[in-house]
Amino acid sequence: HHRRKPDAMEKLRKIDHFYSEQFAYVLEKMRSTKDLHGRPLLESTMLSWGSGLSDADRHDHYNLPTVLAGGRGLGLQTGRCVRLAEDTPLANLQLAIAHKMGVELVAHGDSTAALEI
């Protein structure tokens, strides 16, 4: 009896699973590491995880599932799922993150406006 070779989707599932475990590991380390003020490092940091392309064949960068973690100490509203208009650029989230981190930017990439995060 011989083993069947994993198909492309199975390989992709394994890769995605590995990266999700790594993201969870980093979040836990940052939650358990204290900053100079004794607070969890995750409270003053934001990490995003997702993909830059929803359709790599077309280089489509809209409708991207993205996880944004941390930032509670920076005023980030946590514990929610937000569905945006399909044509919302990812750069709008990146611009909002920059603002929360104290970076004064008017625009970033193809942003149209900073998201309310």
XYZ file of all heavy atoms in Angstrom, residues 46-109:
473
model
N 0.570 46.694 18.434
C -0.457 46.122 17.573
C 0.223 45.259 16.523
O 1.230 45.650 15.949
C -1.273 47.217 16.888
C -2.216 47.913 17.825
S -3.234 49.137 16.970
C -2.157 50.556 17.066
N -0.338 44.089 16.309
C 0.168 43.193 15.276
C -0.974 42.870 14.329
O -2.084 42.592 14.768
C 0.661 41.871 15.893
C 1.906 41.977 16.740
C 1.529 42.115 18.188
C 2.745 40.762 16.521
N -0.691 42.920 13.046
C -1.704 42.520 12.077
C -1.219 41.275 11.363
O -0.021 41.072 11.167
C -1.999 43.643 11.076
O -0.875 43.922 10.280
N -2.171 40.429 10.995
C -1.859 39.185 10.306
C -2.905 38.956 9.243
O -4.106 39.052 9.506
C -1.833 38.023 11.296
C -1.564 36.703 10.674
C -0.566 36.398 9.788
C -2.288 35.493 10.871
N -0.617 35.077 9.434
C -1.676 34.492 10.091
C -3.393 35.152 11.629
C -2.122 33.190 10.051
C -3.830 33.858 11.593
C -3.201 32.891 10.825
N -2.449 38.710 8.060
C -3.354 38.451 6.952
C -2.552 38.293 5.684
O -1.363 37.996 5.714
N -3.197 38.529 4.585
C -2.553 38.403 3.283
C -2.659 39.725 2.548
O -3.613 40.478 2.730
C -3.254 37.312 2.463
O -2.747 37.285 1.145
N -1.691 40.000 1.716
C -1.720 41.219 0.930
C -2.504 41.084 -0.360
O -2.760 42.064 -1.043
N -2.891 39.846 -0.703
C -3.623 39.612 -1.946
C -4.779 38.658 -1.689
O -4.611 37.622 -1.066
C -2.717 38.998 -3.015
C -1.558 39.857 -3.510
C -0.652 39.039 -4.414
C -2.069 41.076 -4.233
N -5.956 39.005 -2.200
C -7.083 38.074 -2.107
C -7.146 37.190 -3.343
O -7.637 36.069 -3.287
C -8.401 38.826 -1.921
O -8.602 39.734 -2.983
N -6.646 37.689 -4.472
C -6.559 36.912 -5.706
C -5.193 37.208 -6.315
O -4.998 38.250 -6.952
C -7.676 37.289 -6.675
C -7.683 36.440 -7.938
O -6.624 35.862 -8.288
O -8.742 36.343 -8.567
N -4.255 36.302 -6.097
C -2.882 36.537 -6.541
C -2.770 36.613 -8.057
O -1.904 37.320 -8.575
C -1.967 35.442 -5.996
N -3.637 35.908 -8.779
C -3.584 35.959 -10.241
C -3.860 37.365 -10.765
O -3.278 37.799 -11.750
C -4.582 34.978 -10.869
C -4.163 33.534 -10.689
O -2.962 33.284 -10.478
O -5.039 32.662 -10.761
N -4.776 38.067 -10.110
C -5.148 39.412 -10.552
C -4.474 40.510 -9.729
O -4.719 41.681 -9.946
C -6.664 39.598 -10.481
C -7.411 38.682 -11.409
C -8.882 38.965 -11.404
N -9.391 38.967 -10.026
C -10.659 38.995 -9.711
N -11.563 39.058 -10.653
N -11.050 38.990 -8.460
N -3.661 40.119 -8.752
C -3.056 41.064 -7.808
C -4.124 41.917 -7.128
O -3.937 43.106 -6.883
C -1.997 41.941 -8.488
C -0.783 41.174 -8.856
N -0.354 41.073 -10.138
C 0.073 40.440 -8.111
C 0.722 40.315 -10.185
N 0.996 39.912 -8.967
N -5.255 41.298 -6.808
C -6.378 41.957 -6.157
C -6.074 42.090 -4.668
O -5.767 41.104 -4.001
C -7.642 41.125 -6.387
C -8.893 41.792 -5.876
O -8.804 42.924 -5.371
O -9.965 41.172 -6.002
N -6.125 43.303 -4.142
C -5.816 43.522 -2.727
C -7.009 44.113 -1.967
O -6.861 44.939 -1.090
C -4.575 44.396 -2.576
C -4.705 45.755 -3.215
N -4.511 45.959 -4.547
C -5.018 46.955 -2.692
C -4.690 47.234 -4.832
N -5.004 47.855 -3.718
N -8.191 43.662 -2.317
C -9.412 44.088 -1.616
C -10.066 42.871 -0.969
O -9.826 41.741 -1.364
C -10.386 44.760 -2.590
C -9.858 46.071 -3.110
C -9.264 46.157 -4.346
C -9.935 47.218 -2.320
C -8.757 47.363 -4.810
C -9.435 48.425 -2.770
C -8.850 48.491 -4.013
O -8.351 49.681 -4.454
N -10.926 43.139 0.015
C -11.653 42.081 0.713
C -10.691 41.088 1.361
O -10.791 39.881 1.156
C -12.618 41.371 -0.246
C -13.686 40.611 0.497
O -13.930 40.852 1.676
N -14.310 39.665 -0.171
N -9.746 41.613 2.134
C -8.713 40.799 2.769
C -9.050 40.535 4.233
O -9.123 41.470 5.022
C -7.359 41.519 2.703
C -6.836 41.829 1.316
C -5.604 42.718 1.412
C -6.516 40.550 0.580
N -9.234 39.272 4.609
C -9.393 38.976 6.037
C -8.100 39.317 6.764
O -7.018 38.900 6.347
C -9.659 37.473 6.083
C -9.945 37.074 4.670
C -9.314 38.088 3.783
N -8.190 40.118 7.817
C -7.010 40.563 8.552
C -7.319 40.508 10.040
O -8.378 40.956 10.473
C -6.637 42.005 8.158
O -6.433 42.061 6.741
C -5.390 42.470 8.857
N -6.381 39.982 10.809
C -6.495 39.978 12.267
C -5.630 41.119 12.789
O -4.469 41.251 12.402
C -6.001 38.637 12.861
C -5.990 38.695 14.383
C -6.842 37.481 12.361
N -6.197 41.939 13.661
C -5.447 42.986 14.340
C -5.521 42.683 15.823
O -6.613 42.607 16.389
C -6.039 44.366 14.028
C -5.352 45.563 14.659
C -3.884 45.627 14.246
C -6.076 46.844 14.269
N -4.367 42.475 16.429
C -4.317 42.066 17.839
C -3.521 43.072 18.657
O -2.629 43.743 18.145
C -3.683 40.680 17.948
N -3.839 43.132 19.943
C -3.129 44.014 20.862
C -3.729 45.407 20.863
O -4.866 45.623 20.459
N -2.934 46.370 21.332
C -3.314 47.770 21.255
C -4.357 48.276 22.216
O -4.786 49.422 22.108
N -4.770 47.476 23.174
C -5.808 47.938 24.104
C -5.363 49.200 24.846
O -6.135 50.126 25.027
C -6.163 46.840 25.101
C -7.348 47.220 25.979
C -7.744 46.129 26.903
N -8.090 44.950 26.103
C -8.474 43.809 26.611
N -8.563 43.668 27.908
N -8.762 42.801 25.835
N -4.092 49.254 25.228
C -3.561 50.430 25.919
C -3.440 51.646 25.019
O -3.252 52.762 25.500
N -3.551 51.447 23.727
C -3.508 52.538 22.756
C -4.908 52.973 22.330
O -5.059 53.806 21.450
C -2.704 52.111 21.523
C -1.252 51.730 21.793
C -0.640 51.044 20.582
C -0.456 52.959 22.188
N -5.922 52.371 22.941
C -7.299 52.732 22.632
C -7.947 51.889 21.550
O -9.042 52.217 21.094
N -7.310 50.810 21.150
C -7.905 49.939 20.131
C -9.125 49.236 20.718
O -9.072 48.699 21.815
C -6.888 48.898 19.660
C -7.360 47.941 18.574
C -7.589 48.694 17.265
C -6.340 46.832 18.352
N -10.225 49.257 19.991
C -11.429 48.536 20.405
C -11.210 47.059 20.059
O -11.095 46.712 18.891
C -12.646 49.076 19.671
C -12.945 50.526 19.954
C -14.089 51.024 19.106
O -15.091 50.338 18.930
N -13.945 52.214 18.567
N -11.156 46.212 21.062
C -10.809 44.808 20.849
C -12.043 43.903 20.919
O -13.133 44.340 21.262
C -9.780 44.347 21.903
O -10.377 44.464 23.205
C -8.514 45.172 21.842
N -11.833 42.634 20.559
C -12.872 41.621 20.699
C -14.034 41.773 19.739
O -15.179 41.515 20.108
N -13.778 42.183 18.524
C -14.883 42.364 17.589
C -14.459 41.971 16.181
O -13.287 41.867 15.866
C -15.370 43.807 17.594
C -14.314 44.790 17.200
C -14.681 46.209 17.567
N -13.596 47.085 17.155
C -13.721 48.057 16.274
N -14.888 48.317 15.732
N -12.692 48.791 15.951
N -15.435 41.748 15.359
C -15.230 41.448 13.943
C -15.871 42.591 13.161
O -17.019 42.937 13.402
C -15.878 40.115 13.584
S -15.722 39.710 11.841
N -15.116 43.170 12.250
C -15.602 44.309 11.474
C -15.608 43.925 10.001
O -14.611 43.442 9.476
C -14.695 45.541 11.690
C -15.157 46.713 10.848
C -14.624 45.906 13.162
N -16.737 44.128 9.357
C -16.835 43.888 7.915
C -16.911 45.254 7.243
O -17.794 46.042 7.522
C -18.065 43.064 7.569
C -18.170 42.751 6.073
C -19.307 41.823 5.771
N -19.148 40.520 6.370
C -18.479 39.503 5.813
N -17.895 39.663 4.664
N -18.400 38.346 6.419
N -15.964 45.504 6.357
C -15.887 46.782 5.666
C -16.392 46.637 4.242
O -16.530 45.523 3.739
C -14.438 47.269 5.648
C -13.769 47.408 7.022
C -12.293 47.662 6.869
C -14.432 48.520 7.811
N -16.615 47.753 3.590
C -16.985 47.721 2.175
C -15.886 46.990 1.404
O -14.701 47.116 1.712
C -17.157 49.140 1.647
N -16.278 46.223 0.414
C -15.341 45.374 -0.318
C -14.197 46.150 -0.954
O -13.096 45.634 -1.107
C -16.086 44.580 -1.391
C -15.230 43.509 -2.020
C -16.030 42.568 -2.885
O -17.081 42.081 -2.434
O -15.578 42.326 -4.009
N -14.411 47.404 -1.299
C -13.365 48.174 -1.971
C -12.507 49.001 -1.008
O -11.750 49.869 -1.429
C -13.969 49.073 -3.048
C -14.947 50.096 -2.481
O -15.358 49.970 -1.306
O -15.312 51.022 -3.228
N -12.598 48.731 0.299
C -11.794 49.444 1.285
C -10.340 48.998 1.188
O -10.040 47.816 1.356
C -12.310 49.187 2.716
O -13.681 49.558 2.789
C -11.506 49.959 3.737
N -9.410 49.911 0.932
C -7.999 49.514 0.835
C -7.434 49.093 2.194
O -7.766 49.684 3.232
C -7.287 50.776 0.347
C -8.348 51.731 -0.063
C -9.610 51.318 0.625
N -6.568 48.083 2.192
C -5.877 47.658 3.406
C -5.058 48.815 3.975
O -4.868 48.917 5.187
C -4.973 46.456 3.116
C -4.176 45.890 4.280
C -5.099 45.412 5.396
C -3.281 44.757 3.809
N -4.608 49.708 3.112
C -3.824 50.866 3.551
C -4.612 51.747 4.521
O -4.021 52.455 5.332
C -3.361 51.677 2.345
N -5.958 51.702 4.479
C -6.765 52.458 5.442
C -6.540 51.935 6.859
O -6.476 52.709 7.812
C -8.248 52.392 5.092
C -8.612 53.229 3.887
O -7.747 53.791 3.213
N -9.890 53.306 3.584
N -6.420 50.609 7.005
C -6.121 50.023 8.317
C -4.703 50.387 8.733
O -4.465 50.771 9.879
C -6.290 48.498 8.281
C -5.845 47.751 9.545
C -6.655 48.196 10.762
C -5.949 46.258 9.336
N -3.762 50.288 7.817
C -2.371 50.607 8.135
C -2.219 52.072 8.537
O -1.460 52.392 9.457
C -1.480 50.253 6.942
C -1.474 48.759 6.687
C -0.965 48.372 5.314
O -0.970 49.181 4.382
N -0.527 47.131 5.177
N -2.960 52.967 7.896
C -2.938 54.381 8.259
C -3.496 54.576 9.669
O -2.934 55.328 10.474
C -3.745 55.195 7.242
C -3.773 56.707 7.426
C -2.375 57.309 7.362
C -4.682 57.342 6.374
N -4.574 53.869 9.998
C -5.171 53.962 11.341
C -4.202 53.433 12.403
O -4.091 54.015 13.489
C -6.481 53.192 11.384
N -3.497 52.349 12.101
C -2.503 51.808 13.040
C -1.406 52.843 13.281
O -1.008 53.085 14.432
C -1.912 50.484 12.510
C -2.973 49.383 12.535
C -0.690 50.077 13.325
C -2.549 48.110 11.811
N -0.935 53.464 12.222
C 0.100 54.493 12.365
C -0.387 55.614 13.276
O 0.340 56.064 14.169
C 0.495 55.042 10.992
N -1.642 56.055 13.094
C -2.193 57.121 13.929
C -2.254 56.689 15.391
O -1.901 57.470 16.285
C -3.578 57.529 13.437
C -3.549 58.265 12.133
N -4.707 58.576 11.443
C -2.529 58.731 11.367
C -4.391 59.220 10.333
N -3.078 59.314 10.260
N -2.704 55.457 15.663
C -2.782 54.960 17.040
C -1.397 54.899 17.681
O -1.252 55.080 18.882
C -3.401 53.560 17.093
C -4.884 53.523 16.857
C -5.644 53.972 18.068
C -7.129 53.727 17.857
N -7.929 54.409 18.837
N -0.361 54.673 16.852
C 1.005 54.576 17.362
C 1.672 55.953 17.457
O 2.843 56.055 17.785
C 1.839 53.647 16.474
C 1.337 52.214 16.412
S 1.346 51.360 18.001
C 3.074 51.113 18.264
N 0.908 57.021 17.147
C 1.423 58.372 17.289
C 2.159 58.906 16.069
O 2.807 59.944 16.142
N 2.053 58.216 14.945
C 2.700 58.669 13.717
C 1.716 59.552 12.959
O 0.601 59.128 12.669
C 3.133 57.471 12.838
C 3.762 57.953 11.540
C 4.082 56.559 13.607
N 2.115 60.748 12.652
C 1.235 61.688 11.953
C 1.428 61.544 10.448
O 2.388 62.062 9.889
C 1.528 63.109 12.409
C 1.201 63.331 13.874
C 1.451 64.755 14.324
O 1.477 65.667 13.477
O 1.633 64.939 15.530
N 0.528 60.841 9.813
C 0.528 60.662 8.367
C -0.779 61.187 7.813
O -1.832 60.993 8.420
C 0.637 59.181 7.994
C 1.946 58.461 8.234
C 1.801 56.983 7.855
C 3.062 59.086 7.433
N -0.738 61.808 6.666
C -1.959 62.252 5.996
C -2.508 61.109 5.153
O -3.711 60.909 5.069
C -1.679 63.495 5.117
C -2.908 63.899 4.325
C -1.163 64.633 5.970
N -1.611 60.346 4.527
C -2.014 59.232 3.668
C -0.941 58.155 3.725
O 0.181 58.396 4.167
C -2.214 59.715 2.237
N -1.312 56.967 3.269
C -0.384 55.838 3.198
C -0.795 54.982 2.007
O -1.954 54.541 1.931
C -0.427 55.024 4.493
C 0.299 53.728 4.419
N 1.662 53.665 4.358
C -0.150 52.451 4.364
C 2.031 52.391 4.272
N 0.950 51.637 4.279
N 0.126 54.755 1.073
C -0.188 53.922 -0.084
C -1.427 54.420 -0.803
O -1.540 55.596 -1.117
